[in-house]
Amino acid sequence: MFISTTSRLAAILTAGAALTLFPVAGVMAQTVPPLTHESYTLPNGLRVILAEDHAAQVVTVNVWYNVGSRNERPGRTGFAHLFEHMMFQGSDNVKKGDHMSLVERSGGNMNGSTADDRTNYYESLPSNRLNLGLWLEADRMRSLKITKENFENQRETVKEERRLRIDNQPYTGAFLGAITSVFDAKSCFAYAHETIGSMDDLNAATLDDVIDFHKTYYTPNNATLVVTGDFVPSDAKALIAEYFGAIPTGPAAPDVQCDQPFNTGLQRKSVTDSKANLPAVLVLWRIPEYKSADWPALELLSTILGQGESSRLNRIVVRDTKAAVAAQALAGIGPRRGPNVFGTLGIANQGVSPDSVEKLLQQEIARVGTAGVEADELAKAKNAYRAGKVAELETSMGRAEALHAATMFLGDTKAVSTNIDRYMAVTIDDIKRVAAKYLRPDNSTIVLIKPETKTP
């Protein structure tokens, strides 16, 4: 039911994961429509964004709390993800389990997810049940039941999720560990640990720890409420004032510190993965935050290199040389307000040395830094990005998430309609420049993932 950042790894680690690349003529005709919206802030600090659209009789109520794994401290990791689960354990007027059943009986759906920089909760409902979605979110913001029984139960649920999604999956644990290892745990702990938390930290957590975390971060002044879809703004405002207006303001959340230097020298690491059957190579580089002017070029480069059948790494490393059974590239696991990671991954074919895979990965990166990319490669990447944005804004849930992302990561709700301009403006020279600037040896970490040696 619950989705965390770790679930995104499936697409990255699946061989042959395809990205649909639309014909140029068809996609170029598509444009990202301007999204009309308004925003205001309640006296208690809750930020509200409303985007009215009567195309379908559906509304989405979507709350982002400004808390993720970046807000955790050493020895107490996994709390943001734990609260993703705790928030469904009941409140003063909603019994345990009733949140889900009330939404489902109304013909809606709901969920929550945890990422590095935020935790979200949403309900998409028939438009005549807007009041239900708002009331449910307000009730648990005001009066979540943080009991010892609920805490112990959900701690065990999170531990089991870690076993299922990470510890018992090939490459996933090694992949997450590698990504966090490129950040210094002393100067940038925010991104130097896994979102799901460690078993040791989950076991060490106390009820008081959890209560303090909730008091600090689950407050109206640390949250943004977005309502999208088929509603009358005046009606929504009245309900929001009624349900959320009396929730007390909480203390200001502590600032997150991250002083992560770049270009500190090449690092090599080797890890053993008991679930892997073939060796794999990860080459990772530190890159800047999402709002950086260089980010769009880096994201488009990751598409060119490693997303889809026609990507460079899939063609050269998998199909032509048959050095790897799978090759991927990514620019971060989601946006951040701090430094991120650009990575290439190759899972070696049977009988092929990891050194050969690494050499091919590095050759393609070096080639981009010196020769750039082809015009049709960049056009395909832009078309795919544009198509994704158009599709996102076709649903009330997609619009809600897009408004949240524009607010949190770019600091401006208007960016929901204008951010695409950053991507469409990227040139071949930009791609070449960012590759040379960031994807350089002294800014890299190379991780060899080795299968566990089986003894007879």
Side-chain angles (χ1 to χ4, degrees):
M1 176 183 297
F2 303 98
I3 302 172
S4 66
T5 302
T6 56
S7 64
R8 303 175 199 168
L9 293 174
I12 298 167
L13 298 173
T14 299
L19 174 67
T20 302
L21 297 176
F22 296 86
V24 173
V27 178
M28 289 298 286
Q30 295 180 340
T31 59
V32 174
L35 184 57
T36 302
H37 61 279
E38 63 174 306
S39 61
Y40 62 97
T41 302
L42 294 182
N44 61 9
L46 178 67
R47 183 167 188 174
V48 180
I49 303 171
L50 305 178
E52 179 186 7
D53 182 357
H54 302 286
Q57 293 179 332
V58 175
V59 292
T60 293
V61 174
N62 191 321
V63 177
W64 275 26
Y65 287 91
N66 184 10
V67 59
S69 53
R70 75 195 294 265
N71 301 92
E72 295 164 353
R73 58 187 175 86
R76 290 296 182 267
T77 64
F79 279 37
H81 178 241
L82 175 63
F83 260 97
E84 177 198 321
H85 292 254
M86 290 288 292
M87 286 286 277
F88 292 89
Q89 297 306 298
S91 49
D92 275 358
N93 298 294
V94 181
K95 294 180 181 178
K96 184 175 181 177
D98 278 3
H99 190 117
M100 290 81 84
S101 61
L102 285 168
V103 172
E104 290 168 357
R105 288 203 303 266
S106 298
N109 62 76
M110 43 64 61
N111 215 322
S113 67
T114 310
D116 300 317
D117 283 40
R118 62 98 184 115
T119 309
N120 82 329
Y121 306 91
Y122 70 87
E123 297 82 19
S124 288
L125 294 151
S127 51
N128 64 348
R129 298 315 312 273
L130 171 62
N131 62 327
L132 175 64
L134 292 171
W135 179 77
L136 286 170
E137 290 299 343
D139 201 59
R140 62 180 172 185
M141 182 184 288
R142 177 190 296 106
S143 61
L144 184 68
K145 293 293 186 184
I146 307 176
T147 66
K148 184 173 180 58
E149 178 186 1
N150 287 342
F151 165 54
E152 295 291 353
N153 177 273
Q154 292 310 302
R155 170 162 57 182
E156 292 307 309
T157 299
V158 171
K159 288 164 63 176
E160 185 59 28
E161 182 179 341
R162 181 182 174 90
R163 295 185 191 100
L164 177 66
R165 293 186 173 181
I166 297 178
D167 298 340
N168 290 325
Q169 296 296 322
Y171 306 109
T172 305
F175 184 87
L176 283 173
I179 282 183
T180 56
S181 74
V182 306
F183 299 101
D184 182 76
K186 292 183 179 179
S187 63
C188 187
F189 184 75
Y191 300 115
H193 67 284
E194 298 171 19
T195 299
I196 200 168
S198 73
M199 284 293 194
D200 288 344
D201 287 357
L202 289 168
N203 286 329
T206 68
L207 182 61
D208 286 341
D209 290 332
V210 176
I211 291 172
D212 287 343
F213 191 84
H214 180 262
K215 287 180 179 178
T216 302
Y217 296 106
Y218 279 77
T219 61
N221 48 302
N222 201 49
T224 299
L225 165 66
V226 173
V227 180
T228 58
D230 180 33
F231 64 91
V232 177
S234 59
D235 294 342
K237 290 177 182 180
L239 290 170
I240 291 167
E242 178 182 354
Y243 296 153
F244 290 90
I247 301 175
T249 300
D255 291 335
V256 173
Q257 302 297 322
C258 176
D259 181 17
Q260 177 60 59
F262 286 42
N263 311 327
T264 54
L266 185 151
Q267 297 183 62
R268 284 188 175 272
K269 301 180 180 183
S270 179
V271 297
T272 299
D273 188 336
S274 63
K275 301 297 186 296
N277 293 320
L278 295 167
V281 178
L282 269 168
V283 186
L284 304 167
W285 299 267
R286 300 182 192 95
I287 59 175
E289 63 185 323
Y290 183 75
K291 72 178 181 181
S292 163
D294 290 337
W295 180 273
L298 288 162
E299 186 174 341
L300 292 174
L301 176 56
S302 74
T303 300
I304 293 167
L305 284 173
Q307 300 297 318
E309 291 292 324
S310 64
S311 67
R312 284 195 176 192
L313 297 184
N314 190 64
R315 285 189 289 107
I316 295 168
V317 184
V318 178
R319 292 208 314 256
D320 295 349
T321 65
K322 296 181 173 55
V325 296
Q328 295 283 306
L330 79 157
I333 303 182
R336 286 177 177 171
R337 289 168 289 172
N340 217 317
V341 175
F342 191 103
T344 59
L345 165 70
I347 301 176
N349 213 336
Q350 192 166 8
V352 177
S353 73
D355 289 344
S356 298
V357 175
E358 180 192 334
K359 183 178 180 180
L360 288 168
L361 295 175
Q362 297 277 33
Q363 282 177 347
E364 283 311 303
I365 294 296
R367 186 174 289 118
V368 173
T370 56
V373 298
E374 299 296 327
D376 64 335
E377 291 179 306
L378 181 55
K380 280 184 176 182
K382 287 183 177 182
N383 291 342
Y385 180 84
R386 182 191 287 108
K389 292 295 113 179
V390 170
E392 179 182 45
L393 296 180
E394 287 178 346
T395 68
S396 63
M397 178 61 186
R399 290 191 292 273
E401 286 289 289
L403 282 163
H404 273 303
T407 303
M408 175 170 283
F409 300 112
L410 296 172
D412 184 0
T413 57
K414 294 178 183 177
V416 72
S417 300
T418 62
N419 187 40
I420 191 172
D421 296 339
R422 299 201 302 157
Y423 290 79
M424 297 303 106
V426 170
T427 66
I428 292 174
D429 286 342
D430 290 329
I431 298 284
K432 182 179 177 180
R433 176 182 55 79
V434 297
K437 182 178 181 179
Y438 299 106
L439 311 188
R440 45 191 273 185
D442 64 347
N443 191 42
S444 67
T445 299
I446 300 170
V447 181
L448 170 63
I449 303 173
K450 302 183 298 183
E452 188 174 64
T453 303
K454 303 292 193 296
T455 56

